[in-house]
Amino acid sequence: MQVIGFLKLLFAACLIAGIWFPALTRPAAIGIAILMVGAVAMHLKIKDPLKKSLPALTLLILSVFVAAA
């Protein structure tokens, strides 16, 4: 759990740094997307209602959009 938290903070910091260093944006967005795929998969695995998995799904969609742009 600590590793996931560290990775989320690292990728978020890289997205912010991507304002000044655009080369960081795509890898950070891909990293967040990978983490969110895992989050959505775990929500589905434990049969959470859609309301609980919606934030992870939304962040996944936004991360994919940023990585593709």
Side-chain angles (χ1 to χ4, degrees):
M1 192 160 44
Q2 291 177 347
V3 173
I4 298 298
F6 172 76
L7 289 174
K8 284 182 185 181
L9 289 174
L10 176 69
F11 293 142
C14 286
L15 279 177
I16 293 170
I19 295 170
W20 299 282
F21 305 104
L24 294 175
T25 304
R26 180 167 282 154
I30 291 170
I32 289 175
I34 291 169
L35 289 175
M36 292 304 107
V37 166
V40 170
M42 291 309 297
H43 281 289
L44 292 174
K45 181 179 178 182
I46 63 171
K47 296 179 175 60
D48 266 347
L50 180 62
K51 185 177 178 179
K52 282 194 169 190
S53 60
L54 196 57
L57 183 61
T58 303
L59 192 53
L60 171 62
I61 292 167
L62 290 173
S63 296
V64 169
F65 178 74
V66 169

